[in-house]
Amino acid sequence: MALKSTIFKASVSIADMDRPYYGEHAFTLARHPSETDERMMVRLLAFVMHADPHLEFGRGLSTEDEPALWQKDYTGTIERWIEVGLPDERTLRKAAGRAREVIVLVYGGKAAEIWWGKEGDNLSRLANLHLFAIDTTQSAELAALAERGMQLQCTIQDGQVWLTTGDGTQTVLIEPRRLTASG
């Protein structure tokens, strides 16, 4: 018998002073049996960093040709393709040909450093690709916020992302670092 996804509900209030964007979002997140809390929460982080009424979660890990998140215009053109983790170069090249903008939130500590060392120069040639690294400590703190029923407040200012639990007992600071060919 196949393992089923674990369902998480999240209610997120976003105040993004950098864009400006302010919104309330309610999600049902399905965490695939092979997915970690860290990856699921980085997907949620990707949403809050790029929140838009048209931004949607992809169908999941087992679905090829779909990103973790994407945003389409009314004609079906992919405006934004967002991946998390360490996608392979071929996937990102294909995405760069299909979408106006491709964003990757890279996490994973030493594995991410090795991946970037191997793929960085080739990926830096894709003009519409933007890569951001999440520190290992910060992604672990983010994963610790995962609960089956989450209420989060998110404030984004000067490139910093603050996530606070609904009861105010936990706050996590995420400072995504832009990756460039030189590191």
Side-chain angles (χ1 to χ4, degrees):
M1 177 150 90
L3 296 174
K4 295 185 179 186
S5 294
T6 303
I7 302 301
F8 289 76
K9 301 273 187 175
S11 175
V12 183
S13 176
I14 302 169
D16 186 339
M17 271 57 107
D18 290 347
R19 289 194 286 157
Y21 177 86
Y22 306 93
E24 300 282 334
H25 297 273
F27 307 110
T28 299
L29 297 166
R31 189 187 72 206
H32 190 273
S34 66
E35 184 177 32
T36 63
D37 282 346
E38 182 180 34
R39 185 180 190 284
M40 180 188 69
M41 293 302 288
V42 172
R43 284 193 296 133
L44 183 62
L45 173 66
F47 185 94
V48 300
M49 288 175 59
H50 304 284
D52 184 276
H54 302 288
L55 185 62
E56 300 176 358
F57 287 95
R59 287 185 283 180
L61 290 172
S62 59
T63 306
E64 295 207 12
D65 291 338
E66 273 194 26
L69 298 110
W70 56 4
Q71 180 179 331
K72 297 179 184 179
D73 67 13
Y74 292 110
T75 67
T77 300
I78 303 169
E79 293 178 340
R80 186 174 285 155
W81 179 292
I82 302 174
E83 292 285 358
V84 300
L86 310 173
D88 66 53
E89 179 189 356
R90 186 174 62 241
T91 299
L92 294 178
R93 284 189 180 286
K94 189 174 180 180
R98 293 179 61 191
R100 292 187 180 134
E101 179 181 37
V102 178
I103 298 165
V104 181
L105 291 184
V106 176
Y107 70 95
K110 188 67 174 169
E113 291 174 26
I114 293 168
W115 174 84
W116 181 242
K118 179 183 171 197
E119 306 288 357
D121 287 336
N122 291 331
L123 293 177
S124 294
R125 295 183 189 129
L126 300 175
N128 61 339
L129 176 65
H130 309 283
L131 296 113
F132 299 90
I134 307 300
D135 178 76
T136 303
T137 303
Q138 293 175 1
S139 66
E141 291 173 353
L142 181 64
L145 296 180
E147 293 182 7
R148 297 286 296 273
M150 294 178 270
Q151 289 189 331
L152 300 169
Q153 285 87 40
C154 174
T155 303
I156 301 172
Q157 187 170 9
D158 299 328
Q160 295 180 325
V161 182
W162 294 88
L163 287 160
T164 303
T165 56
D167 62 6
T169 59
Q170 291 179 285
T171 298
V172 174
L173 168 62
I174 307 292
E175 297 179 287
R177 179 177 53 90
R178 183 178 288 275
L179 294 176
T180 60
S182 60

